[in-house]
Amino acid sequence: MKKSLFSLWTSIFLCLLLTACAGSQTPPVVDHSPPPPGFYRVQRGDNLYRIGLKYNQSVTTLARLNNLSDVNQLEVGQLLRVVPTPGTASASKPKTTTTRSTTPPVTSSSAALKNLNLVWPAAGRVLANYDGSSNKGINIGGAHGSAVQAAAGGEVVYASDQLRGYGKMVLIRHNKQVLTAYAYNDRILVSVGQKVKQGETIAHMGNAADGRSMLHFELRVNGNAVNPMPHLPAR
């Protein structure tokens, strides 16, 4: 009996010792040093969609540049290439190094949207307005399966469901500065690289996480979300 009690107390002591050791481990050091040209260091709350908008790259391109098998697995401090590696110059010619900024040129939203006339991407009423923080766009209600249309002509640069929190989403690039995003779709009807016309049906409306049928629509200039309402026609 004494031997059994001794073994029991020994086991408890070892468990407590291991727990204390585990709790005293030093947390991993996160690198916050400035990234080299052509790279971006992941910050808390980042995802590939937001990073891609900032550097005018699609999620697919960023995943390919960084050999990412899971686009949702990013770590704070992780270094990501956001600009493709330039072609190798001929060995017989001297190399000329030109430093290029990875940030798109600053352009006001009004200037970038001057010649871009948007139409409503869905026919329903606005359920939630843009506030610049918790909502980077507007939520438009409607019947499940109803048409989602391109707000302007452009090229599809993303059409997938790989970004957590957006469901099946489509991104359309309209010019070098302007993108529109269409999230919470039930079915996507376009593919990456496809050219679409204004008003063309690109998806069917799906449900948000709360179960309501809606379209989440964003307008971005140089990666920055802007309020789409002033740029949509009055109803």
Side-chain angles (χ1 to χ4, degrees):
M1 181 69 176
K2 291 182 178 179
K3 186 175 181 181
S4 299
L5 288 173
F6 176 77
S7 299
L8 176 61
W9 281 110
T10 301
S11 298
I12 294 173
F13 174 76
L14 289 174
C15 288
L16 291 174
L17 181 62
L18 290 173
T19 302
C21 291
S24 63
Q25 291 179 351
T26 303
V29 177
V30 177
D31 190 351
H32 293 290
S33 61
F39 286 84
Y40 172 79
R41 196 172 296 285
V42 176
Q43 307 296 315
R44 189 175 302 278
D46 275 342
N47 57 45
L48 279 193
Y49 165 56
R50 292 176 182 171
I51 297 171
L53 288 176
K54 184 175 182 179
Y55 293 100
N56 206 22
Q57 300 286 2
S58 69
V59 171
T60 303
T61 298
L62 290 178
R64 176 175 52 80
L65 289 175
N66 295 279
N67 296 319
L68 300 177
S69 57
D70 187 346
V71 298
N72 290 311
Q73 294 299 317
L74 296 180
E75 297 181 2
V76 175
Q78 181 179 353
L79 202 60
L80 293 179
R81 177 174 284 281
V82 292
V83 176
T85 306
T88 303
S90 172
S92 61
K93 297 181 180 180
K95 293 183 179 180
T96 302
T97 303
T98 302
T99 303
R100 294 183 179 180
S101 171
T102 57
T103 305
V106 177
T107 306
S108 68
S109 59
S110 57
L113 295 166
K114 183 177 181 181
N115 297 318
L116 193 67
N117 298 314
L118 303 180
V119 298
W120 283 86
R125 66 184 181 90
V126 176
L127 304 177
N129 285 299
Y130 168 93
D131 62 20
S133 56
S134 61
N135 194 0
K136 299 290 187 178
I138 59 175
N139 296 339
I140 306 172
H144 184 91
S146 59
V148 174
Q149 301 172 326
E155 179 182 354
V156 178
V157 294
Y158 179 84
S160 185
D161 60 354
Q162 295 300 305
L163 290 172
R164 190 178 303 156
Y166 292 93
K168 296 179 180 178
M169 183 171 68
V170 176
L171 290 178
I172 299 177
R173 178 184 290 136
H174 305 290
N175 55 44
K176 291 182 178 180
Q177 288 83 34
V178 182
L179 288 169
T180 50
Y182 312 75
Y184 305 152
N185 298 299
D186 176 63
R187 183 184 176 194
I188 294 175
L189 305 178
V190 292
S191 56
V192 174
Q194 182 176 338
K195 300 291 176 56
V196 296
K197 298 179 180 179
Q198 185 177 61
E200 181 177 344
T201 300
I202 58 173
H204 291 159
M205 187 179 292
N207 296 337
D210 61 5
R212 291 187 298 174
S213 295
M214 69 173 68
L215 167 69
H216 176 71
F217 175 70
E218 293 186 9
L219 174 63
R220 291 190 173 250
V221 178
N222 288 330
N224 300 312
V226 299
N227 186 359
M229 291 297 287
H231 306 284
L232 291 168
R235 285 179 165 176

